[in-house]
Amino acid sequence: MESRKKSKALKRYVFVIIVISLLNAASSVTHYSIPEELDEGSIVANLAADLGLDVGTLSRRKIRLDTLANKKYLDINKETGELFIVERIDREYICNTKAAATCVLKLDATIENPVRMFNIELEIVDINDNAPHFRRDTMHLDISESTHVGERFSLNNAVDPDIGVNSIKTYYLSESDHFSIEIQTGRDGSKFTDLILKKALDREEQASHNLILTAVDGGVPARSGTASIIVRVLDTNDNAPQFDKDSYTINLTENSPIGSLVVKLNATDKDEGSNSDLLYSYSLYTSEKTQQTFSLNPNNGEIRVKEMINYEDFRIYDMEIIATDKGTNSLSGKCKVKILITDMNDNHPEISIKSFSSPVKEDVAVNTVIAVVSVSDKDSGENGQVDIHISDDLPFALKESSDNYYELLVSEPLDRERVPEYDITITVTDRGNPPLSDNETITLELLDVNDNVPQFPQTFYTIPVMENNAPGASLSSLTAIDPDLHENQYLVYFIIEKEIANTSMSMLFSINPENGNLYALKTFDYEIEKEFLFHIEARDSGVPPLSSNVTVHIIIMDQNDNTPLIVSPWRAHGSEVKEKIPRSTDKGTLIAKVIAIDSDSVHNSRITYQFLQNTDATLFSLDQYNGEIRTMRMFSYRDSRDQRLVVIAKDNGEPALSATVTIKLSTVETALKTYTEVPLEYDIFSDLNLYLVIGLGSVSFLLLITILVTIVLKCQKAKPSKAAPPCRNSVISERNSTIADSTLVSNDAYWYSLFLAETRKGKLVVRQPVPKGARYIVSSIPRSTGLTETSDSAASTLQTKYCGVHRGNFSSFIPPLTVLSASHFWSQIQCFVAV
């Protein structure tokens, strides 16, 4: 676009250049005129033609162009003689003085052979190639809003490097309601303008005005330049402060922390600077209590908590706040603030015990009132509504009796032995959020009543007592427990009277009434008394007294206090036993049998036999368990005629006790009557005995009928049978050495050997079953056949009288096979009937 404009300008100046060249042809100075801004290579003139030079000789004559300026703007074409543009020419740059009406560029052309110099003046003609511009793009004006209308304000004028018609022609101001401009022309023809206030300013309405000032030149086409005018309206204190609202209502929770922000008041002043700086203060209508409770920041209007706020003290605070500006003539505004205190759940419920009964008896009736309590809460609304409760595990309940009053009732039966006292925690909780609670603990003590029977740890006591105990020895301690207290707990112990064999228990045992220690009052003998069964009672001291009893079973333990008694072979007063045997006795023949009995218990009464002395150890053997003495070989002529054997019978006790018997054996050559080992029936059943048995059987049958009738009549009113102690001199044993309360250890082999030994002496050995089971009564009875040993046998007869026969078992008392004398039979019957 710029090139096109310059081309048009060149066309307008072609005619001018030609005319000037023709006019100066005759002068010594060649003058040319060209417009500025021609393109490089543009032809200014044909210098060879204008100077009258031969074009062909220009190169040879070394034509050249010297410029007076620093830059070479033009040059000569040596071929054609044309003067052309080498560098674009700017008139405003070459002629930088605005006063110069014309701008001439002087050149010197030199040629040699001969040397000639030509003066050339090139006038640069101005074109409108520069737009007007302001020295400052932005102009700032401070105008008070109180400035009067018509006031003038000078503005910076614009400049244009062009001259003439191309320079500044006029100014324009952007549209404005408050301002206008006035253009004036200086003496040098320059244009300048003033800004005129045509309407009063209001800073609060518009604090600044932005204007555009445009300068336009006279060129064709015209060029222009602009500058911004910023008018800042200066404030005057013409506006009073105003709050956002005329009144404020603030809800504030009580107990808000000191220093917490209640509200920040905001007042505004349309003025600026110090005229808008505000100070906040309480008015005279604000109470002293309010000013003590809340603080007001005078600079920013913040109201903060100054003291603790309690809803229960004050619920509403009213205040009036004034905002004052700092202008010369200060103005102020005010507002009202109402602070409503919101209740906070900050008061714990309270419990008050109005009445309380403690202690109470443990048998107190259900629904009995033991306490009255009241509850309260200083808060309001739900924060002041309370709920009261106690633990569900307690046997008590709460019942509301009136507003905020409750009764504590017994809801279940109480038991002091299970729980002697109750810590009853009454908890009251309000309905605030979060809820607050309080509690009160009361201790209810229970008084004891005699409602528990003394209890023994066991229902049955078995106490072993070693026989031969010392009288007064402590047997055991039988202690009962009574969970009651005081006199209801004090126990006294008694032995419940019971007679055994016409002997009272209190004569055999005693018990300490205070501690239940049981003592023996006599020395017990296992062979006489084996056990006792009685009851002990424990009685408390309550009113009425309660008692319980326990069964005590005393078991007498055996000691090895009885020496074995050798009952076979029989001897008188410890003398030797003399026996005669034929020398022709075979090997293994039973020569004698030693039988010993021991009254002690099973363990202590086990008998073993040994030779203490033996004339010839190769001739006789002794069975250590059954006492049988047998030959180990036949007699020889070398064997002594007399053999002396000493046998010792030793029990199993600790220490062991023993007895000895001396047997003197004499061998005879003549054959003697040999006692063969035949069953009892073949030896004892002679004709006389057979008749005797038949007669006694008949009498026994008649007596049996009579006795049975008598027993039936007595059983209807008789006391429970008491086990009578066995009669003295009784020898009772069991089969296969199983013994309960007997004193003889033996088996069937013993009975058989005893039978052989006694029948040889002319005695009758009878074996009778005892009613309780597999027991036998062994009786050694003299025969009625008039043997020589009868008198001696009578002295050593082992009479067995079983006086402990149970009623109803008389038939078992009569042996299935018994051969007795009549007098002895009647003694047995009398013993039974006495029971």
Side-chain angles (χ1 to χ4, degrees):
M1 179 66 70
E2 190 72 21
S3 299
R4 291 177 181 176
K5 292 180 179 179
K6 291 181 178 181
S7 298
K8 292 180 180 179
L10 289 176
K11 291 178 182 179
R12 289 197 301 267
Y13 288 103
V14 170
F15 177 75
V16 176
I17 295 172
I18 295 172
V19 172
I20 294 174
S21 298
L22 291 176
L23 292 175
N24 293 322
S27 65
S28 58
V29 177
T30 303
H31 185 85
Y32 297 101
S33 180
I34 62 173
E36 62 177 332
E37 301 294 339
L38 288 177
D39 294 334
E40 295 177 2
S42 297
I43 304 299
V44 175
N46 193 324
L47 189 59
D50 293 337
L51 296 178
L53 298 176
D54 185 6
V55 175
T57 62
L58 293 179
S59 175
R60 179 169 53 81
R61 295 180 67 181
K62 298 180 182 179
I63 190 169
R64 60 183 179 274
L65 184 66
D66 297 325
T67 61
L68 299 177
N70 293 330
K71 287 186 178 182
K72 188 176 182 179
Y73 293 98
L74 295 97
D75 201 359
I76 300 173
N77 189 334
K78 296 176 182 182
E79 299 295 331
T80 62
E82 293 176 340
L83 182 65
F84 63 92
I85 302 297
V86 176
E87 185 177 346
R88 187 184 296 271
I89 300 173
D90 185 3
R91 192 197 69 82
E92 288 76 23
Y93 176 76
I94 295 174
C95 302
N96 52 11
T97 57
K98 183 71 177 175
T102 60
C103 181
V104 177
L105 183 62
K106 293 181 179 184
L107 305 173
D108 290 330
T110 304
I111 189 169
E112 295 179 0
N113 299 321
V115 176
R116 290 181 64 185
M117 181 176 292
F118 301 96
N119 293 324
I120 302 171
E121 290 184 356
L122 182 63
E123 181 182 358
I124 308 302
V125 179
D126 181 49
I127 65 173
N128 192 23
D129 59 342
N130 290 283
H133 68 276
F134 292 89
R135 293 183 178 87
R136 289 187 297 175
D137 293 337
T138 304
M139 291 176 280
H140 294 276
L141 295 177
D142 291 336
I143 303 175
S144 175
E145 62 178 329
S146 60
T147 301
H148 299 292
V149 174
E151 190 75 24
R152 303 171 71 91
F153 303 94
S154 296
L155 300 177
N156 293 328
N157 60 324
V159 294
D160 193 334
D162 296 325
I163 59 174
V165 294
N166 293 328
S167 64
I168 295 174
K169 180 180 181 180
T170 187
Y171 289 92
Y172 298 100
L173 183 66
S174 62
E175 184 178 356
S176 174
D177 294 335
H178 294 81
F179 296 95
S180 63
I181 59 173
E182 181 178 310
I183 302 172
Q184 296 182 16
T185 304
R187 292 179 180 179
D188 57 354
S190 62
K191 306 287 185 180
F192 61 89
T193 182
D194 291 334
L195 184 66
I196 301 174
L197 179 64
K198 65 179 184 178
K199 183 179 180 181
L201 299 176
D202 186 354
R203 193 205 62 80
E204 290 72 35
E205 179 182 345
Q206 188 173 354
S208 65
H209 298 266
N210 295 322
L211 306 175
I212 303 298
L213 180 62
T214 304
V216 181
D217 62 19
V220 178
R223 290 177 176 269
S224 63
T226 60
S228 295
I229 302 174
I230 298 176
V231 178
R232 186 178 66 171
V233 181
L234 299 179
D235 182 56
T236 58
N237 192 22
D238 57 346
N239 291 280
Q242 287 187 347
F243 286 91
D244 294 343
K245 294 189 293 184
D246 292 337
S247 64
Y248 295 83
T249 300
I250 308 299
N251 291 317
L252 180 65
T253 304
E254 66 171 328
N255 297 327
S256 295
I258 294 176
S260 60
L261 180 65
V262 178
V263 64
K264 182 176 181 180
L265 300 177
N266 183 42
T268 57
D269 192 324
K270 294 180 180 180
D271 297 323
E272 66 177 0
S274 62
N275 297 327
S276 63
D277 293 338
L278 304 179
L279 291 176
Y280 298 88
S281 61
Y282 289 112
S283 74
L284 298 176
Y285 296 101
T286 303
S287 67
E288 231 178 83
K289 173 64 178 175
T290 301
Q291 296 185 39
Q292 291 175 356
T293 307
F294 299 96
S295 64
L296 174 63
N297 190 317
N299 296 319
N300 57 22
E302 289 182 350
I303 298 177
R304 294 182 179 271
V305 176
K306 188 176 180 181
E307 291 182 351
M308 286 300 294
I309 301 173
N310 193 350
Y311 172 85
E312 289 71 31
D313 296 337
F314 286 90
R315 301 186 181 184
I316 300 176
Y317 292 88
D318 289 311
M319 60 185 72
E320 186 178 66
I321 308 299
I322 298 175
T324 305
D325 62 27
K326 296 180 180 179
T328 304
N329 297 317
S330 61
L331 302 176
S332 63
K334 61 183 178 180
C335 71
K336 292 184 178 180
V337 179
K338 177 179 287 189
I339 299 176
L340 303 178
I341 305 302
T342 303
D343 183 35
M344 181 181 178
N345 193 21
D346 60 335
N347 289 284
H348 288 263
E350 296 179 355
I351 303 175
S352 177
I353 307 298
K354 298 303 181 181
S355 67
F356 176 49
S357 299
S358 179
V360 297
K361 289 186 176 182
E362 62 176 316
D363 60 350
V364 62
V366 175
N367 293 327
T368 300
V369 178
I370 61 173
V372 176
V373 299
S374 67
V375 296
S376 61
D377 194 323
K378 293 180 180 179
D379 292 322
S380 62
E382 289 191 351
N383 296 332
Q385 297 178 8
V386 297
D387 299 312
I388 185 171
H389 67 277
I390 60 174
S391 173
D392 295 336
D393 298 332
L394 296 175
F396 304 97
L398 286 167
K399 179 182 177 182
E400 187 173 6
S401 58
S402 60
D403 289 343
N404 297 328
Y405 279 84
Y406 294 85
E407 294 177 344
L408 183 63
L409 309 175
V410 177
S411 61
E412 298 176 11
L414 305 179
D415 186 358
R416 189 207 63 80
E417 289 71 34
R418 186 170 61 88
V419 182
E421 67 178 21
Y422 290 92
D423 289 330
I424 307 171
T425 300
I426 304 174
T427 304
V428 58
T429 306
D430 61 26
R431 298 180 183 177
N433 186 21
L436 299 179
S437 62
D438 192 15
N439 60 71
E440 185 76 24
T441 300
I442 58 176
T443 300
L444 177 64
E445 182 183 354
L446 300 183
L447 296 178
D448 183 55
V449 296
N450 193 25
D451 57 346
N452 289 279
V453 175
Q455 295 290 333
F456 286 92
Q458 302 172 220
T459 58
F460 189 90
Y461 286 87
T462 300
I463 303 173
V465 179
M466 190 66 68
E467 67 172 329
N468 301 320
N469 61 289
S474 176
L475 304 183
S476 182
S477 180
L478 308 177
T479 304
I481 299 173
D482 192 327
D484 292 325
L485 289 178
H486 308 307
E487 66 274 3
N488 299 328
Q489 188 186 37
Y490 299 147
L491 302 180
V492 181
Y493 299 89
F494 305 93
I495 295 178
I496 299 177
E497 288 296 335
K498 177 181 179 182
E499 291 187 357
I500 298 179
N502 297 324
T503 301
S504 173
M505 283 293 102
S506 60
M507 298 179 64
L508 301 177
F509 305 96
S510 71
I511 190 169
N512 189 320
E514 295 181 357
N515 56 27
N517 291 339
L518 184 64
Y519 302 94
L521 297 181
K522 60 168 287 187
T523 301
F524 297 108
D525 187 354
Y526 173 83
E527 288 72 35
I528 298 177
E529 302 107 349
K530 292 181 173 56
E531 63 181 10
F532 299 94
L533 195 67
F534 57 92
H535 299 283
I536 289 179
E537 178 182 302
R539 181 185 305 162
D540 62 26
S541 302
V543 179
L546 301 177
S547 64
S548 64
N549 58 63
V550 67
T551 302
V552 180
H553 184 203
I554 304 293
I555 298 177
I556 307 302
M557 307 297 293
D558 181 48
Q559 282 185 338
N560 192 26
D561 58 345
N562 290 283
T563 304
L565 175 65
I566 298 178
V567 297
S568 177
W570 180 85
R571 68 198 188 285
H573 306 295
S575 61
E576 293 182 347
V577 177
K578 296 181 179 181
E579 296 285 351
K580 293 180 180 181
I581 59 174
R583 293 184 68 83
S584 59
T585 301
D586 294 333
K587 175 184 177 181
T589 302
L590 180 64
I591 302 304
K593 183 177 180 67
V594 179
I595 299 177
I597 60 176
D598 194 321
S599 301
D600 290 322
S601 62
V602 177
H603 180 76
N604 294 327
S605 64
R606 293 176 183 172
I607 308 296
T608 57
Y609 303 91
Q610 295 176 353
F611 277 128
L612 195 58
Q613 292 182 10
N614 188 355
T615 304
D616 189 348
T618 65
L619 187 57
F620 300 100
S621 66
L622 174 62
D623 191 309
Q624 66 172 340
Y625 297 111
N626 60 23
E628 292 180 351
I629 302 174
R630 294 180 182 271
T631 57
M632 297 175 63
R633 59 178 174 82
M634 293 186 67
F635 287 92
S636 67
Y637 68 93
R638 294 180 182 177
D639 293 328
S640 174
R641 184 178 182 84
D642 295 322
Q643 299 288 333
R644 186 172 183 274
L645 305 176
V646 178
V647 179
I648 182 172
K650 186 185 298 183
D651 63 20
N652 196 39
E654 185 64 36
L657 302 178
S658 64
T660 61
V661 61
T662 303
I663 302 175
K664 187 175 183 181
L665 297 177
S666 300
T667 57
V668 294
E669 298 293 340
T670 57
L672 298 176
K673 183 178 179 181
T674 304
Y675 294 94
T676 59
E677 299 177 18
V678 296
L680 182 63
E681 299 93 310
Y682 293 96
D683 194 88
I684 66 175
F685 277 89
S686 62
D687 293 340
L688 179 60
N689 288 337
L690 179 60
Y691 297 147
L692 181 59
V693 170
I694 295 173
L696 290 176
S698 301
V699 175
S700 299
F701 179 77
L702 295 176
L703 287 175
L704 178 61
I705 301 300
T706 304
I707 292 171
L708 289 176
V709 173
T710 304
I711 291 173
V712 170
L713 294 176
K714 285 190 174 184
C715 286
Q716 295 178 355
K717 58 182 178 179
K719 297 180 180 180
S721 61
K722 299 178 182 179
C727 298
R728 298 182 183 277
N729 302 327
S730 62
V731 183
I732 303 175
S733 69
E734 297 182 0
R735 291 179 182 174
N736 300 324
S737 300
T738 303
I739 300 170
D741 57 350
S742 68
T743 58
L744 178 60
V745 178
S746 184
N747 54 24
D748 289 340
Y750 281 5
W751 302 122
Y752 186 60
S753 300
L754 181 62
F755 159 72
L756 293 179
E758 296 301 311
T759 53
R760 288 171 182 167
K761 297 184 174 83
K763 301 171 186 174
L764 177 62
V765 180
V766 181
R767 189 164 59 166
Q768 301 174 352
V770 177
K772 286 188 177 181
R775 300 173 183 163
Y776 294 95
I777 300 175
V778 182
S779 299
S780 178
I781 305 172
R783 290 180 182 272
S784 58
T785 56
L787 296 177
T788 58
E789 294 91 358
T790 302
S791 59
D792 295 333
S793 301
S796 62
T797 300
L798 298 177
Q799 298 179 352
T800 302
K801 299 178 182 180
Y802 191 84
C803 300
V805 180
H806 292 260
R807 286 188 175 94
N809 292 332
F810 180 76
S811 60
S812 63
F813 176 76
I814 304 299
L817 179 60
T818 308
V819 179
L820 300 172
S821 65
S823 61
H824 188 54
F825 177 81
W826 282 110
S827 66
Q828 298 284 359
I829 298 300
Q830 290 171 1
C831 178
F832 177 81
V833 173
V835 177

